[in-house]
Amino acid sequence: MIKVKNVTKFFDDFKVLDNVSMNVRKGTIYGLVGANGAGKTTLINHITGALKPNGGSIEVSGEDVLKNERIKQKMLGISDDWFFYSSFTVRDMMRLYRDIYSDFSMERYNAIGKLLEINEKRQIRKLSKGMKKQVAFWLSLSAMPDVLILDEPLDGLDPVMRKQILNLVIGDVADHEMTVLVSSHNLRELEDICDWVGIIHKGRMILEKPLDDLKGTVHKYQLVVPEEKVTMLEQMEGILHVSNVGSVYSVIIRGDGEDTDKRMQALSPVLCERISLTLEEVFIYELGGLGYDFKNIIV
């Protein structure tokens, strides 16, 4: 659905994107993860056609996205600074979206409006940040896009409304095979909705995998081992991090789960428990080898 191939972008002499490739499959929710300044928003602006790359190509549904009106008819984006005309009411913006997007559904618009309970006669500029974000989703989902691109999309929403909005998005993915690319600093948020994850670091894509596969390659254990086995534990192949509080050790290790289970049991532990890693922890330990300092992170 979205294919980014060897994209490079310079701003003056600074290379913001460095030979980035990415593949977002149809009907999936793809989480783009990276630290501030990693290049997430710049990459998104290329995918929407707002920026032209210095090298490489970007295709959506098999077509080059730049200056492609047909593709942009079926692709919408919501960013933290979503645009609206300052004098427009919600209904005014609805009419604009309806004029621009040929698949705009009034049935969908009315259904979401009942859920959100926002007066469509109110000027958008007078709404709170959270309500403005709700309006952005209201109009964008009513346009029935094939591709929805979200850059920090849920800032300003309370937890209940976040859940409602995410349920709407997930429902459209399931019902209409909508494809979603979402970038967020909130990794727990991404973990709740994403099928795939791509990690970008200093303008380079360092990995992209299904979320379950990504979490399945790094494991966390809490265990108590005999004192004479501690050195063996610390030198074990695949170890990313070892810390302890008293006799209880927390271990992060890369490898197949069954194999790491056997290796932990070979230490004759008094206690051994494998604990599921969060996406946040996976992100930390994947980037640890690239210079990120995680020695003081509580795990």
Side-chain angles (χ1 to χ4, degrees):
M1 171 59 75
I2 301 174
K3 291 188 177 181
V4 177
K5 186 175 181 181
N6 303 326
V7 166
T8 298
K9 181 65 177 180
F10 287 89
F11 290 137
D12 296 324
D13 295 330
F14 181 67
K15 186 183 285 187
V16 183
L17 298 178
D18 186 2
N19 204 40
V20 171
S21 294
M22 181 173 69
N23 186 20
V24 182
R25 290 154 178 79
K26 182 178 177 63
T28 61
I29 303 177
Y30 185 111
L32 183 60
V33 179
N36 290 335
K40 300 188 300 296
T41 297
T42 301
L43 179 56
I44 284 174
N45 286 337
H46 280 78
I47 293 170
T48 61
L51 291 175
K52 182 179 180 180
N54 295 110
S57 62
I58 301 166
E59 293 183 353
V60 176
S61 298
E63 297 184 33
D64 191 285
V65 71
L66 200 65
K67 297 182 181 179
N68 190 324
E69 184 178 343
R70 194 191 71 80
I71 291 297
K72 292 180 180 181
Q73 269 278 326
K74 301 299 296 179
M75 179 168 59
L76 279 93
I78 301 175
S79 65
D80 195 37
D81 56 350
W82 175 72
F83 173 80
F84 59 90
Y85 289 103
S86 61
S87 63
F88 274 26
T89 65
V90 175
R91 190 160 186 83
D92 291 334
M93 280 298 289
M94 179 275 290
R95 293 191 182 104
L96 178 63
Y97 269 58
R98 189 175 59 186
D99 289 343
I100 294 173
Y101 298 104
S102 58
D103 290 334
F104 192 94
S105 169
M106 285 303 300
E107 180 181 0
R108 181 76 165 143
Y109 173 81
N110 291 329
I112 296 176
K114 290 179 181 178
L115 177 68
L116 299 182
E117 298 182 337
I118 297 174
N119 185 347
E120 63 177 354
K121 295 181 180 180
R122 290 188 64 183
Q123 284 186 314
I124 299 173
R125 67 182 176 86
K126 294 182 179 180
L127 300 176
S128 67
K129 180 178 181 179
M131 293 178 76
K132 290 174 185 174
K133 195 60 66 73
Q134 292 175 50
V135 171
F137 275 96
W138 184 3
L139 298 175
S140 297
L141 293 176
S142 298
M144 307 298 286
D146 289 341
V147 178
L148 184 64
I149 297 179
L150 308 174
D151 191 8
E152 302 293 350
L154 301 179
D155 283 0
L157 296 179
D158 63 63
V160 173
M161 188 50 63
R162 284 184 183 215
K163 186 67 174 177
Q164 282 190 320
I165 293 295
L166 290 177
N167 284 341
L168 286 171
V169 172
I170 292 169
D172 278 5
V173 171
D175 295 341
H176 310 299
E177 288 193 291
M178 183 174 70
T179 302
V180 181
L181 172 61
V182 53
S183 168
S184 175
H185 66 275
N186 188 331
L187 299 184
R188 293 180 183 177
E189 199 168 78
L190 293 182
E191 188 170 17
D192 289 339
I193 62 172
C194 290
D195 310 302
W196 280 71
V197 173
I199 297 180
I200 188 170
H201 176 64
K202 294 184 177 179
R204 296 183 64 88
M205 187 67 71
I206 62 172
L207 68 83
E208 61 175 347
K209 289 183 178 180
L211 180 58
D212 289 343
D213 289 357
L214 180 61
K215 294 174 69 173
T217 59
V218 183
H219 308 284
K220 179 179 179 180
Y221 291 86
Q222 285 188 337
L223 69 165
V224 177
V225 298
E227 187 174 347
E228 64 271 17
K229 298 289 182 73
V230 171
T231 300
M232 187 184 304
L233 169 65
E234 293 174 337
Q235 296 176 351
M236 189 176 291
E237 182 181 355
I239 287 289
L240 298 175
H241 180 66
V242 178
S243 63
N244 69 293
V245 178
S247 60
V248 180
Y249 284 81
S250 292
V251 177
I252 308 294
I253 185 169
R254 188 191 305 279
D256 175 80
E258 291 186 6
D259 177 61
T260 55
D261 283 350
K262 291 177 182 177
R263 286 193 277 156
M264 292 300 159
Q265 290 300 327
L267 298 173
S268 305
V270 177
L271 168 72
C272 182
E273 181 180 9
R274 176 152 44 118
I275 303 169
S276 296
L277 280 165
T278 64
L279 178 58
E280 186 173 12
E281 289 173 317
V282 172
F283 175 66
I284 290 166
Y285 290 103
E286 286 291 349
L287 292 185
L290 297 174
Y292 272 66
D293 182 7
F294 52 79
K295 64 180 182 294
N296 294 320
I297 293 172
I298 299 173
V299 295

